[in-house]
Every structure is written in C-alpha cells, then in structure tokens.
Amino acid sequence: MKVLVLPDAAAAADRAAGIVADRLAQAPASVLGLATGETMRPVYAALVRRHRDAGLSLAAVTTFNLDEYVGIAPDHPASFAAFMRQELFDHVDIDPARAHLPRGDAPDPATEAARYEGAIVAAGGIDLQLLGIGRNGHLAFNEPTSSLASRTRIKTLTPSTRSANRPAFAPGAAPRQAITMGLGTILDARACLLVATGQSKAEAVAATIEGPLGAHCPATVLQLHPAATVVLDEAAAARLALRAYYETVHPGGGEAQVG
Ligand code: GLP
C-alpha cells in the first residue's frame, strides 16, 4: 500500500485530484469509481478547478458511484446522485449518460444491485476507484462484518453510520439500507485511491493500513489490493505506528525516489 501524508486536508484533496487528473491525461476514456461524503467535496472541487483552469476533460470518462440509499430517488436532495451533480457532474463536461449510480428507488433493490454489478463488468471494469472511509472502517456502505468477497448488494446501515448521515434527512427519515458495491467489487478495480482527513478517521486509518486483515474493519481489504494508494492529512495519519517510514518512502506525500 502506498501511504502519502500531506500537511492538511486541502493539500490531501489536491494530491488526490492530481492522481485522478494524471490518470485521465494518460487515458481520457477511463472508467472511474466515485465516492460521496464530506471528504470528497474538496477532491471534486479540485477536479472542477482543473477542468476550469487547466484543461482537464471528463468528456470521455465513464463513472460508477459506490452506493446509494434504498428508497431514495435520484432527484431527492439527500441522494448521492444529487450530491454528485452538485459537487462534480454539473461543473464538468462529463456525459450524464455515462455517469452511473445505483437506483435507490428501483422497485426491486436486489435486482438493481445485480444489474449494477453487471454494468460495471460490461463497461470493462473500474480503472481507478476513489474511496473514503467511515469512522468504523467501512468502505462504501460495507459495514463491519461485510464479506471481504462481497459483490454489489443491499446492506443494512449501522446506528453510527445512520447518525453520521442523519443531518441530510428530515427527522426520522434517515434510510436504513443502501445498495453498495461489495468489497470484492472494489478489489476488482485496477487501482484504488483512499482519501481520509481529520482526527476522527485516525483510528480507522491505522487499522486499515497496519492492523490485522479482517471484516471487523472492512477497509483492511485494501491490504490485498496490488495497487492501493492512501492519501492522508496529518490528523488522519496521527495513529500510524510506521509514520516515519512512510515519510521516508514518500517525502511530503510525493512519489518514491528510486536509487
Ligand atoms: C458514507 C459513504 C462512504 C464514505 C463515508 C465517509 O457512509 N457511503 O463512501 O466514505 O460515508 O464519509 P465522510 O467523508 O463524510 O466522513
């Protein structure tokens, strides 16, 4: 796992956006996996800036978001579809027909989950998957004890995840379930890019990078991925035992020096 530690959240977001932009410069028709959450807002803002000021184009890109709430339609203001329009899609040249999210309002969510998994495969798989992390170590909505081999399916949210997401919904209306890519689906991406910022993520980050592999912390599954990069700010990196080693390998969160 490549561990890059940046001085603050803004620098971490910019570094992550730079990795995505570099990928698109090499392969403009890439398939990107996208994430939602507060951590992603500055990452998308940095991509929008690059689009506006530096000629970054998403015109040939295909995207698949990680997850969506069951029972929530794409036009619901608290849907992940609305989040993506607001933070990214409405501000870049992406083709909306190639920007995919699971349909939370599908009549049969299990069928929708299977369709979504198939659509990812039909698109040739994901080249670069952006990821955030929950305080309990979840990836997408793969809560603790999720199968490390899981595919896109329905997951019931933990009380802590529901309360973290509650502010977006009217009182009593926070969804109980989501359609989420599985951990096996995420592992199939050709590269993974996890972004974590802030002290509230420090424990989950340390468990993910240095802890034992296991479903107690779903993000540890990234230890099995051959091309996983983790971009952190100082606060999220605070509990890493091997912090000095990562700094030696990637000084200032830069690329490794060889030789
Ligand atoms: C949600 C999303 C995850 C995200 C996590 C952390 O539950 N399903 O994909 O990584 O929250 O979000 P935040 O960045 O707001 O802490």
Side-chain angles (χ1 to χ4, degrees), residues 1-5 245-257:
M1 208 180 288
K2 194 191 265 193
V3 181
L4 311 180
V5 183
Y245 170 65
Y246 310 131
E247 181 61 28
T248 306
V249 183
H250 298 289
E255 281 311 309
Q257 303 298 312

